[in-house]
Every structure is written in C-alpha cells, then in structure tokens.
Amino acid sequence: MYDVVLLTLGSERDAPGGCGSGGACCGGATGADTAPTSQTDTGQANTDQAGSGQTDTEQCATERPRVPVLACADALNARGARVETVTARSDAEIDAVLARLDGPARPDGLTWPDPDSKIRLVVATASDGQLRAVLRRLVKRYAPAPSKRPADLPGNRTLPDLPPVAVLPLDPARGGTHGDLAAQLGLPRDPAAVAAAVLDGTPRRLDLLRNDGGSVTLDGALLGAADDAGRPLHWRARVEVDDTILTDGAEPLLACAIGNAGGYATLNDVTLLTAPDPADGQVEVAVAVPVVVRSAWGRKRVRLEVRRARGRAVSVLPREGKVPYLDDGVEGELTRKRSWWVEPGAWAVWSI
C-alpha cells in the first residue's frame, strides 16, 4: 500500500513572510527563481512577479486542514493507506515534501524523480495558482542546467517526467463549465473519488508551459486590462508563435490569450482560442485586434479581428508601458519580453 501526503498551502496569517506573502507559494517567480530555472540557477531578481494586483492572501490563502482534506484522509485510511497531512507555508516547506519523491542517486549527480516511488502526493488547491506553485517547485527541483543535460532526457524537453500529483479542489463552486483546471480536465472533486484516483488510477500526462520569467503555466495566460467601466484598454506588443508574427507591435491590441488548456478561451463572449488541448504538445495563441472598417454608406465601425496560431513557443514583447496579465489566475504586469514554451507530457495527474 502507498504512503500518501496530503499537501495544503498555508496563508500569510499562519506564517508571515511565508506562503501568500509575496507570490512564492502562489506560483509567482521570486528573486531566487528567475529564469531559466535549473538545479544550479542563481539568477537576478525578477521584476515581473505575479500577484501584483490582488493580494496573494486572497489568491492562495488556505487555513488548517479543511473538511475536504480530512474527508480525503479518512477515505485513504479506510483503504489501508498511510496518510500524512502537511501544511506548507513557504517554498522550503513545499520542497521538503517534494524531496520524498526523489529517486536513487545518479552517477551524474542530478536530482531525479523516482519512477517507482511508493509515495503519492495529493495537492489540496483553493486555486489554480496553488497547484502551479507546487509544479513550479517540482520544475525547480528536477530541471537540470543546460550544461548538465543528461542523455536520457527526451529531446523535446528540458526536464524529466515529473511525478504525478492528485488534485483535491477545495472550492466546489469552481466545478462549472468555466471552472478551474480540475473541472476542465474532468478530474474528481469529491474527496472519496480523489482518494480512489490516488490508489487505483493511472497517471494522465499533460503538457506544461515553462517561461523565461522562472515560472510555469498549467492552464494559460490572458494579457490585457479594462478600465473602471469595464471597457478594454488598448496596448501594443509584438506577438510571435514559432515563426508566425500575429502582430508586430504597431497596431493596438485588446487582448492576447496563451492557452495550454481552455481557461482563457473566451473573453466577454468573444472566442479567442478554438481548440486548446493540454496534451497535444502545442500552445494555442490568439490576439484580439480592433479594426476600423467602412460600410457601403461610408460609415466607420470597429470590428474585432481575432488572429490565431499554434506552435511550440510564443513570445510577447511589450512596446510601451506595463501590460497587466493573468497567468493561471495570478495577476502580474509584463514590462519586458516574455517567452513561453511547451514541455510535452512533462507533468501528470492521477486519474481514473
């Protein structure tokens, strides 16, 4: 039988300076996690940290074990599993849990996940940002530096297969059509069903987006903002997908959606992404461009032109000022070029 760790992320009220106080446990890159993340990174401070608009306490605060966590633990215990509940209030405490998933020592000295581990990890999530926080620490732990790339690493990846995680959603209200990532993936929300997936399920491998800001994206990112009246604001940026230029930065944009999954597929009833698939090895990108056209009577009107492309990598270069964004639900501002690239099948969830 398996040892199961039920991991919950704590709030800054539990530990000032820990999870929830500066984006570190909510998936935002910190000065210690600048890109490219690897096992030997030192990096400089990143000024594009996530969490700059809404307080991180609001985004990722979770108190002591909640009812779904206790119910899941009971269901696991009833099946004979040995269960430990852990509340992590800092990246270091998350890392201490993830270290249990390490494999045996390698001749090259790399820290590598154990493919035969008897420990299974359940992440209790109040938001997609919390799940991203754990995956970001997994990447930080297991991604080798480019100079230490081993021969057994897949040619289209920069990191090995990450250990599967089970997802225990803590917010039942987010299970609707436009809900969280667990809802999009059709993962169970009932604690007993999550326990069954942990013990009886198989890993379902999914694509991961890494970025040169030192973080990762599971669902997607939406760039753009609106004024106090809800009207979208214009901004400019050069957006490229592989060799395709969606916009060169000369024309105004209303939004840019970067989709691994479908969380940002629509915006105010406008379809941005048509078929985002978190397991197809590609990222789908769309930009919404307001275009002025004339009618047959010479009258001007504005229509919204949506341009789309699919590929392995995308870059966004702001042309002026700061561009607000949401990345897996975490707020931030983009002030310099940011690139995302696909790591096919890099992470996995336990699923039945």
Side-chain angles (χ1 to χ4, degrees):
M1 186 51 66
Y2 298 100
D3 291 337
V4 181
V5 180
L6 269 164
L7 176 62
T8 302
L9 302 192
S11 74
E12 67 177 348
R13 291 191 297 274
D14 294 325
C19 181
S21 62
C25 282
C26 215
T30 66
D33 291 332
T34 51
T37 55
S38 75
Q39 295 177 3
T40 59
D41 276 346
T42 54
Q44 297 178 348
N46 178 11
T47 59
D48 291 330
Q49 294 182 9
S52 61
Q54 175 183 359
T55 66
D56 290 313
T57 303
E58 293 173 328
Q59 295 183 53
C60 71
T62 302
E63 300 300 335
R64 293 173 180 83
R66 290 163 56 171
V67 171
V69 177
L70 299 176
C72 188
D74 288 343
L76 290 164
N77 280 319
R79 292 280 306 275
R82 292 180 294 184
V83 182
E84 179 183 359
T85 59
V86 176
T87 300
R89 298 179 178 88
S90 68
D91 281 347
E93 292 180 350
I94 295 177
D95 293 345
V97 171
L98 301 183
R100 307 183 196 188
L101 304 174
D102 290 354
R106 290 170 53 106
D108 54 18
L110 294 175
T111 302
W112 219 246
D114 184 358
D116 299 317
S117 176
K118 298 302 179 184
I119 298 176
R120 297 201 168 176
L121 177 63
V122 181
V123 182
T125 62
S127 68
D128 289 342
Q130 288 192 328
L131 180 60
R132 182 178 80 159
V134 176
L135 266 296
R136 185 172 58 86
R137 299 312 300 175
L138 279 171
V139 170
K140 180 74 176 178
R141 185 169 194 84
Y142 295 123
S147 61
K148 295 186 176 181
R149 180 183 178 89
D152 57 341
L153 192 63
N156 60 350
R157 292 247 296 272
T158 66
L159 67 161
D161 285 353
L162 298 177
V165 300
V167 181
L168 175 61
L170 296 176
D171 186 358
R174 300 193 67 204
T177 304
H178 299 290
D180 54 19
L181 185 60
Q184 294 182 57
L185 297 175
L187 300 178
R189 307 186 77 85
D190 177 73
V194 173
V198 172
L199 300 179
D200 303 326
T202 56
R204 176 183 171 188
R205 301 221 67 87
L206 301 165
D207 301 335
L208 179 72
L209 293 182
R210 292 189 69 184
N211 70 57
D212 58 2
S215 193
V216 300
T217 300
L218 309 179
D219 185 351
L222 179 66
L223 292 84
D227 61 19
D228 293 339
R231 295 183 294 265
L233 300 174
H234 291 185
W235 52 283
R236 288 176 170 82
R238 180 182 177 92
V239 181
E240 297 182 66
V241 182
D242 292 347
D243 296 327
T244 300
I245 300 174
L246 290 179
T247 174
D248 62 5
E251 56 197 340
L253 300 177
L254 295 183
C256 173
I258 298 170
N260 188 39
Y264 299 111
T266 60
L267 178 64
N268 296 334
D269 297 326
V270 175
T271 299
L272 298 176
L273 307 174
T274 57
D277 183 345
D280 67 352
Q282 291 189 315
V283 58
E284 183 176 0
V285 182
V287 295
V289 184
V291 178
V292 178
V293 296
R294 291 183 179 273
S295 68
W297 305 100
R299 295 176 180 175
K300 292 183 179 179
R301 64 182 180 88
V302 178
R303 66 177 178 85
L304 195 62
E305 178 181 306
V306 179
R307 304 169 190 166
R308 305 179 181 92
R310 301 174 64 83
R312 288 291 310 278
V314 55
S315 66
V316 179
L317 174 61
R319 290 302 193 190
E320 52 192 16
K322 300 177 180 179
V323 180
Y325 66 83
L326 286 173
D327 194 328
D328 283 345
V330 181
E331 296 180 6
E333 290 182 330
L334 200 62
T335 60
R336 57 181 174 81
K337 185 177 180 179
R338 174 62 49 81
S339 297
W340 291 258
W341 66 90
V342 178
E343 301 278 348
W347 74 293
V349 292
W350 289 109
S351 179
I352 294 181

